Amino acid sequence: MIKAHVTHQEILYTADLDAGIDITIVLDPLVSTPKCFYAPDLKIQPVVADDFIGDIASGGIINFKNIMINPHGNGTHTECV
């Protein structure tokens, strides 16, 4: 067990660094996720060229997707409701 001890204004605080809380946010373009300010929504679209479609669910032979993401704005703001 890894512990951190911090004293602030004469009060001792202890944290168990092995007992973190997972605040992972799954990014899914079909589900509303937190985003900052005016960041565009996450977009994931299959590559389409002539008769090729990069999406198995749509009859393609492989999943081959374009992903548009704002690394700061999509899903990073865990303080959002």
Side-chain angles (χ1 to χ4, degrees):
M1 178 181 307
I2 299 173
K3 289 191 175 187
H5 303 282
V6 177
T7 302
H8 178 66
Q9 295 183 350
E10 299 183 20
I11 299 173
L12 175 65
Y13 296 91
T14 302
D16 179 354
L17 301 181
D18 289 326
I21 299 171
D22 183 0
I23 58 171
T24 301
I25 297 172
V26 175
L27 296 180
D28 184 336
L30 302 177
V31 178
S32 178
T33 57
K35 64 180 183 176
C36 73
F37 305 108
Y38 302 103
D41 291 332
L42 166 72
K43 291 181 186 172
I44 302 174
Q45 300 172 321
V47 172
V48 177
D50 298 324
D51 61 347
F52 173 84
I53 184 163
D55 184 49
I56 292 172
S58 298
I61 60 170
I62 191 169
N63 286 322
F64 180 38
K65 312 276 176 111
N66 289 318
I67 300 173
M68 184 187 144
I69 186 171
N70 181 302
H72 176 79
N74 296 120
T76 62
H77 286 256
T78 58
E79 74 277 8
C80 296
V81 176

